[in-house]
Each structure stands twice: as C-alpha cells, then as structure tokens.
Amino acid sequence: MAPKVHKKVRKVVFPVAGLGTRFLPATKVIPKEMLTVVDKPVIQYAVEEAIEAGIEHFVFVTGRGKGAIEDHFDLAYELEATLKARGKTAEFEMLKASRPLAGTASFVRQQEPLGLGHAVWCARDIVGDEPFALALPDMLIHGKPGCFAQMMEVYEKHGGNIVAVEEVPHEHVNRYGIVALGQNFDPATHEITGMVEKPKIEEAPSNLIISGRYILQPEIFTKLSTQKPGAGGEIQLTDSMIALLAEQDFFAYRFAGTTYDCGDKIGYLAANVAFALDRPDIAPKFRPLLDKLAQS
C-alpha cells in the first residue's frame, strides 16, 4: 500500500501583537519581537526557522505600534542603494536574503488583546482550508536542524496535528500547557491523549510542556470561532486543541534543541550568550570575556 500523502504545510502564523510589558522601557516604542539576539531581531530567527522547513508564506498577526516588523521584512531602498554604492556587497546580500519574496508576507491586525487563540483565529482567512505552522517567536529554539524542520518529518509520517514538547522540572508544570501521552511511535513521538493549561502540580498528567511550535489542521479555526474565554479571561488555544483532539490525531514531538524564552529577561540574556557562542566570527573573542566575568 502506498504511504498516505498529507497536504503540504505552506504557511506559518506568527502572533506578534503582544505589548512586551516585561521589557519596558525598551518596548515602549520598539516591538518586543524586534529586540535583537546578537545582531538579528527575535522574529527573524523564527522566520528563518520556517524557511528552513520549506514554508512559503508568512502570516504576522500584529497590533498597534508594530509597524517596525512590517518595515523590517520590506525593501529598505535607501539603505540598500547606499550599501551598493559603497561596495558593501556582503551587507547588501545579507539584507536581501532576510527579505521574504514579494507577496509571501501577510499582515493582519488583532485589534484587542484577547489571547493566543484569538490571535490565531485572526489569521483564518489568510490561512484558508489548509494545515499551517504556528510559531510563538518569544520561544527561540536553538537547534540544528531547526524545530520546524524536525516537525515536518513527523508530519510527513503521521499527518494530523503536531505539538513540540519538552521536559521541565515537575514543580514547574503549573506555569505551562501540559500534555498527556498515549502510544509512542518512536522515542521522540507520542500520541497525545489530553492537554491541560497550567494544571495544579499534583494533577499534571506529565512534565512535558507545549513549547511554542505547532502544526495544526484548519479545523482548529472552527473550534476557535466558538471558544469561550478560559484562563485569564482570554481565548486559549489549548482549549480549542482539546476540543479538536476528540476528532483528530495529535502527536507530541520531543525536538532536539534548547528553548530560550525571550519574553523573559533571563531567557533573553541566555539566548544572546548561546547564539553568540555559536558564531565563529564572535565566539573566539567573546568566550574569554565571559570567562573573565564569571571569575569576577
């Protein structure tokens, strides 16, 4: 029997409407997604991860004051013309490579901060009736290949809905969305039998958290359209995934890589260190400075 062919994942949704209050005053006029890790905005890492996985269209769910994100992925004519005139070929090519192709980036507004589920629902008309990837850009994942490239392999095998997961200490499970596991298909891939948002520590079905990367079927939009507010009075994506779980397969994938929560100051600083040490043009001079700081 020929293997089942699953509909290609061509689009990715980035919810980028958050206010970034944990990084004030830096985020007073700069979107938190535009804060840099080494020399790239956080959002650019997420876009590059999606491109590596073969994704073709990028949907940004933005809010007021987020125009810098749209500008970042647009042609900067004056800057690029100046670089070319001055013979700065490497810098020009770097900027050119960071731009999505014309017509492959879409921007839609989330007018009110009604939660992650509502932000995803705002992308429904652009995504249409096809599976899509979803990335929370704050969750910066350092791995080779990238998390989405790994997840695509799982999707091609199993189809359905794929959720990236990772372990946390059991005493921290009440901070996250947690999955319950069923049948395992390989050491890294398991059936999901249940999900719960921020459970009590003693009631958590596992210590595997939902890590900010998803491949979802379009029926999630139907669930989101009727989803009642949940935790925090917001439309919770997890609640709609639980509803869809009764009708479709969900798989948990333990990806290879390290997550840095760039919505948190400590995670953001750690990401800068980790990504700098992975750069051959920076690490040789940076590492001795870190060693000196550690000894002081």
Side-chain angles (χ1 to χ4, degrees), residues 171-183:
E171 60 269 23
H172 295 167
V173 294
N174 59 340
R175 305 175 186 177
Y176 304 98
I178 304 294
V179 299
L181 302 183
Q183 177 184 0

Side-chain angles (χ1 to χ4, degrees), residues 13 38 64 66-67 73 81 96 98 104 116 133 141 156 191 193 196 202 224 236 248-249 272 289:
V13 174
V38 188
R64 286 180 294 279
K66 297 282 186 166
F73 292 108
K96 184 178 178 182
S98 69
T104 63
L116 174 59
I141 298 177
E156 287 167 5
E191 172 193 18
T193 58
V196 59
E202 64 274 14
L224 287 168
Q236 297 291 341
Q248 293 184 357
D249 292 332
N272 272 278
L289 292 176

Side-chain angles (χ1 to χ4, degrees), residues 260-281:
Y260 298 95
D261 182 359
C262 289
D264 170 80
K265 294 183 180 73
I266 300 301
Y268 175 73
L269 292 170
N272 272 278
V273 172
F275 278 77
L277 291 177
D278 198 41
R279 289 271 296 268
D281 60 326

Side-chain angles (χ1 to χ4, degrees), residues 80-199:
E80 295 187 18
T82 300
L83 292 174
K84 289 178 71 175
R86 294 180 179 177
K88 294 184 177 292
T89 305
E91 291 84 352
F92 171 76
E93 292 297 335
M94 176 184 64
L95 286 182
K96 184 178 178 182
S98 69
R99 274 199 321 267
L101 297 174
T104 63
S106 299
F107 297 82
V108 61
R109 283 281 185 99
Q110 182 188 23
Q111 287 93 347
E112 297 179 83
L114 298 178
L116 174 59
H118 181 261
V120 174
W121 180 76
C122 288
R124 65 198 182 282
D125 286 341
I126 300 174
V127 172
D129 188 25
E130 58 184 283
F132 64 100
L134 169 66
L136 309 188
D138 281 356
M139 307 304 286
L140 182 53
I141 298 177
H142 192 208
K144 297 178 182 178
C147 186
F148 271 143
Q150 298 176 47
M151 292 174 71
M152 287 297 183
E153 292 188 9
V154 178
Y155 175 76
E156 287 167 5
K157 288 182 182 178
H158 301 290
N161 302 269
I162 316 295
V163 180
V165 299
E166 61 185 303
E167 291 188 56
V168 297
H170 197 79
E171 60 269 23
H172 295 167
V173 294
N174 59 340
R175 305 175 186 177
Y176 304 98
I178 304 294
V179 299
L181 302 183
Q183 177 184 0
N184 67 300
F185 297 92
D186 59 57
T189 309
H190 291 72
E191 172 193 18
I192 293 177
T193 58
M195 289 173 270
V196 59
E197 187 70 29
K198 298 181 180 179

Side-chain angles (χ1 to χ4, degrees), residues 12-42:
V12 60
V13 174
F14 299 109
V16 290
L19 296 175
T21 54
R22 287 186 287 178
F23 276 89
L24 287 170
T27 51
K28 181 179 178 181
V29 295
I30 299 171
K32 63 175 181 172
E33 297 82 10
M34 291 300 295
L35 297 176
T36 56
V37 170
V38 188
D39 55 5
K40 291 182 190 177
V42 171

Side-chain angles (χ1 to χ4, degrees), residues 234-246:
E234 298 182 335
I235 305 299
Q236 297 291 341
L237 177 64
T238 302
D239 291 341
S240 287
M241 290 197 298
I242 291 169
L244 189 58
L245 178 62

